[in-house]
Amino acid sequence: MSSTFVKQHRSKRPGYGLAALVQGDRLVPWEFERRELRPNDIAVKIQFCGVCHSDLHAIRGNSRFPLVPGHEMVGEVTAIGVDVTKFQIGDAVVVGTIIDSCGYCSSCKRQLEQYCLEGVTTTYDGIDRFDGSIMRGGYSNEYVVDTHFAYHMPTGLDPASVAPLLCAGVTTWSPLRQWNVTGKTVGIVGLGGLGHMAVKFAHALGAYVTLFSTSEGKLADAIVLGADKAILSTDEAQMVAQASRFDLILDTVSARHPLDPYLRSLKLDGTLCCLGIPKAMDFSPFLLTTGRRRIASSGVGGTLETQEMLDFCSKHNIAADVEVITAANINEGFERLKRGEVHYRLVIDMSTLNAPAKNAA
């Protein structure tokens, strides 16, 4: 891996997928080209791809267009580079949000590539470190990736429900492991794509888990998913009763909201880890002082944590709660995602993706 773009002659693989051609546009079928395999690459026929909230943000944000989203992939190896030993043709594999990093900085050497000091190459809208091309994501027929950033499919799990583990799963797994929640009291704010995975993981890791939600209808769901308690966060009396109870609170909400009720709920030396990353945070710094409390955050997950998470899921039969949709329904799916009507993750059946129709001569 290299931090410099090396312009070189390169052959291409024809591909197609779902793309936003301009900012804010609906996704439409689009043809493009991928690189041919390098020595340590595999080609993956994509079978399922998760729909992440960040995909919606990317389409409406300052991305490079045309944009093919998708970074939660499950598929089958169809070709291998000359140096590949990790996979064979026909293997079931998964690919997540990071597909390259510098490989030699202090973070990369610890397999914490999400904190690469030179910055990672993302699965879509990233820039290839070798030829400068734009990465096209998993809403497509095929993906080409270095084997260092591909993983064997965990055994015993439904493939569609595995796809979101590569983003929503490892994003919540990483801080739960970092703060070593076994035997501790953990709060989860929000029961969406991230929150429902956080509840499952925290419960399986042996924490006492409380779910905070503004939706009364989700409280019962949280108990089914493994929470020991579920609290309506708009109920002031219930929130006051949580004072100084939690070692760690994972906040998965991306919209701006008051953080003070959660800071007050932390024990001495407790941590509020904000995964939703709103544009601004509303909190009183004095509440940090009075309990030696911390506000922190966490990145998605490098190769070490991703493999650890996949192994844990296989052992404990943990996967995402998903609804499988067709490729033709992706724009409707985005609207549902925007309205918060998904329980808890959409996954595209990529076998329903058709190549763009050719213009008649």
Side-chain angles (χ1 to χ4, degrees), residues 269-333:
D269 291 325
T271 300
L272 172 63
C273 181
C274 296
L275 299 180
I277 318 295
K279 290 183 178 180
M281 292 184 177
D282 295 331
F283 70 95
S284 302
F286 183 70
L287 292 175
L288 304 180
T289 302
T290 56
R292 205 161 60 192
R293 303 175 178 108
R294 293 176 291 267
I295 293 180
S297 190
S298 177
V300 57
T303 54
L304 181 66
E305 291 174 331
T306 300
Q307 188 61 65
E308 181 187 56
M309 181 265 310
L310 291 170
D311 293 342
F312 187 86
C313 288
S314 181
K315 180 179 180 180
H316 294 273
N317 195 33
I318 295 174
D321 287 15
V322 303
E323 177 186 340
V324 178
I325 63 173
T326 66
N329 287 330
I330 182 57
N331 292 300
E332 177 190 348

Side-chain angles (χ1 to χ4, degrees), residues 18 56 68 111:
L18 298 170
L56 181 59
V68 180
Q111 291 183 266

Side-chain angles (χ1 to χ4, degrees), residues 14-271:
Y16 59 90
L18 298 170
L21 301 182
V22 297
Q23 184 182 37
D25 205 3
R26 291 170 61 85
L27 294 186
V28 296
W30 184 59
E31 289 185 328
F32 58 92
E33 293 180 324
R34 294 197 187 276
R35 69 172 187 262
E36 268 296 352
L37 275 66
R38 295 169 184 150
N40 202 45
D41 283 349
I42 55 175
V44 180
K45 178 183 178 181
I46 303 172
Q47 297 166 330
F48 296 97
C49 188
V51 178
C52 180
H53 214 284
S54 60
D55 300 342
L56 181 59
H57 287 311
I59 289 168
R60 297 176 179 181
N62 295 318
S63 303
R64 301 173 184 90
F65 294 93
L67 177 76
V68 180
H71 57 203
E72 302 174 348
M73 289 173 267
V74 172
E76 178 183 339
V77 177
T78 57
I80 60 175
V82 295
D83 292 341
V84 172
T85 58
K86 183 177 177 181
F87 299 102
Q88 297 180 350
I89 292 175
D91 283 353
V93 297
V94 294
V95 179
T97 65
I98 299 171
I99 50 85
D100 203 2
S101 66
C102 79
Y104 57 79
C105 73
S106 57
S107 297
C108 289
K109 286 181 178 179
R110 296 171 60 193
Q111 291 183 266
L112 297 171
E113 294 91 347
Q114 72 272 38
Y115 304 120
C116 175
L117 299 183
E118 289 193 4
V120 300
T121 304
T122 53
T123 307
Y124 67 85
D125 200 32
I127 298 294
D128 186 273
R129 290 170 181 265
F130 292 89
D131 63 24
S133 60
I134 299 173
M135 310 307 299
R136 311 298 182 186
Y139 292 11
S140 55
N141 65 315
E142 181 184 71
Y143 202 82
V144 174
V145 63
D146 187 297
T147 60
H148 183 69
F149 292 93
Y151 311 86
H152 287 280
M153 171 78 180
T155 59
L157 300 176
D158 172 65
S161 66
V162 167
L165 298 180
L166 276 298
C167 180
V170 74
T171 298
T172 52
W173 171 265
S174 181
L176 291 171
R177 293 292 289 153
Q178 171 63 28
W179 276 278
N180 189 23
V181 299
T182 301
K184 295 182 179 178
T185 303
V186 174
I188 310 296
V189 184
L191 195 66
L194 291 174
H196 92 287
M197 289 306 310
V199 169
K200 291 185 179 188
F201 282 146
H203 171 76
L205 287 166
Y208 183 91
V209 184
T210 297
L211 186 281
F212 296 96
S213 178
T214 59
S215 172
E216 192 167 5
K218 291 187 176 181
L219 302 184
D221 290 351
I223 302 301
V224 173
L225 291 168
D228 298 283
K229 191 171 184 178
I231 291 174
L232 189 65
S233 57
T234 55
D235 186 323
E236 186 175 350
Q238 287 191 63
M239 293 301 294
V240 168
Q242 307 311 308
S244 303
R245 290 194 58 237
F246 294 91
D247 298 292
L248 174 70
I249 296 177
L250 286 190
D251 189 338
T252 70
V253 177
S254 58
R256 187 169 178 174
H257 58 287
L259 300 182
D260 284 1
Y262 303 112
L263 289 174
R264 293 189 185 97
S265 299
L266 293 172
K267 294 178 179 177
L268 177 67
D269 291 325
T271 300

